[in-house]
Amino acid sequence: MGPLTGRVALVTGAARGIGLSIATRLMEAGAGTVVHDRDAHAVAVARSLSEAGGSATALIHDLARPSAPSAMLAELQAAGREPDILVLCASAEIRETLESLSDAAIGLQSEVNVHASARLLQAFLPGMISRGFGRVIAIGSVQEERANADCLYYAATKAAQTSMILTLARTLRAPDITLNVIQPGAIRTDRNRAILQQPGREGLALERIPLGRLGSPADCAGLALLLCQPEGAYINGAEIAVDGGMRL
């Protein structure tokens, strides 16, 4: 029996990177975990987690489609797996400067990072309120504090997502529902691998990190677990950086 036994956790973008690490940690703590992603890789991940002794199911929807959140709600309601924990990890990051920023990049990042976040909250918060328990965690970014020129619009969308979470944390006023933001820094994920392999790029990142090392997805997963279990029940409306001090 883990601290999250009996809870259901929906982690978006959970087939890879930080999302996968969080989904694994929550499952290990006893939660029935819903592994969401936009492609069938989510099925393989859910199967692997279940074979490891946990309870995991796959949920495949593309958050670039406005209808995805309502379809996700309907599918989970039909399966009797409405989430008590919602981790907003899926995101679109397109590196373009202001001069090169395209309408396609604006549209995709807005849809996935901002619009889908709002629709997911609309879909799943009412159930948490009616059941009297909920944990919402948004995965933000150090770019909100220390944006690079080529992440100008991505950083803006993550800041908008954070604003939504903090507004709800301040105004919802439900006794056992918390909303928080984890802001990762330079984390070794598949998404970041190609960037870090560029000549001099990893060294440049390390110069900005007081701890002198890159982070791992597990660094974020441990914090997510704390926010979901009883010891984290009084943390609400927090923006917590997991960046080795990179934002300073």
Side-chain angles (χ1 to χ4, degrees):
M1 296 282 287
L4 300 183
T5 296
R7 302 297 185 191
V8 176
L10 167 58
V11 184
T12 69
R16 302 164 179 83
I18 292 172
L20 173 57
S21 190
I22 290 175
T24 302
R25 188 66 63 86
L26 298 182
M27 186 200 72
E28 291 171 345
T33 302
V34 180
V35 178
H36 161 270
D37 219 289
R38 63 184 179 180
D39 56 41
H41 188 48
V43 176
V45 169
R47 183 183 303 117
S48 176
L49 291 176
S50 294
E51 290 172 352
S55 171
T57 56
L59 185 65
I60 303 172
H61 286 278
D62 185 352
L63 291 178
R65 297 179 180 273
S67 60
S70 59
M72 292 164 67
L73 173 62
E75 189 171 333
L76 291 177
Q77 284 179 328
R81 289 178 70 82
E82 268 196 87
D84 309 292
I85 297 165
L86 173 63
V87 182
L88 301 173
C89 189
S91 68
E93 179 182 355
I94 301 173
R95 290 177 171 261
E96 293 179 347
T97 64
L98 179 63
E99 293 75 18
S100 62
L101 186 61
S102 64
D103 284 343
I106 291 172
L108 180 61
Q109 291 176 107
S110 295
E111 192 62 50
V112 175
N113 302 348
V114 183
H115 302 167
S117 292
R119 294 184 181 114
L120 287 164
L121 291 165
Q122 285 180 317
F124 294 111
L125 259 181
M128 295 179 186
I129 294 169
S130 67
R131 292 187 298 273
F133 177 90
R135 299 287 181 266
V136 177
I137 302 171
I139 306 303
S141 173
V142 70
Q143 302 287 357
E144 296 175 54
E145 299 292 335
R146 294 199 62 173
N148 298 314
D150 61 354
C151 289
L152 174 137
Y153 197 76
Y154 170 74
T157 62
K158 298 307 285 185
Q161 181 190 57
T162 291
S163 178
M164 276 192 286
I165 296 297
L166 298 186
T167 296
L168 286 168
R170 183 171 61 251
T171 61
L172 191 59
R173 307 187 74 81
D176 204 11
I177 296 176
T178 66
L179 301 99
N180 294 289
V181 181
I182 295 174
Q183 295 175 325
I187 307 293
R188 287 194 188 276
T189 62
D190 290 343
R191 174 187 285 183
N192 291 334
R193 183 171 291 114
I195 298 167
L196 292 170
Q197 287 176 343
Q198 296 173 4
R201 197 62 180 259
E202 182 168 337
L204 182 62
L206 291 173
E207 288 178 3
R208 300 175 64 188
I209 303 172
L211 286 185
R213 68 171 179 87
L214 300 181
S216 72
D219 292 319
C220 300
L223 177 56
L225 176 59
L226 170 64
L227 294 173
C228 293
Q229 63 188 21
E231 291 82 355
Y234 204 53
I235 302 172
N236 186 39
E239 299 174 78
I240 308 175
V242 183
D243 64 358
M246 189 177 188
R247 73 202 177 281
L248 300 173

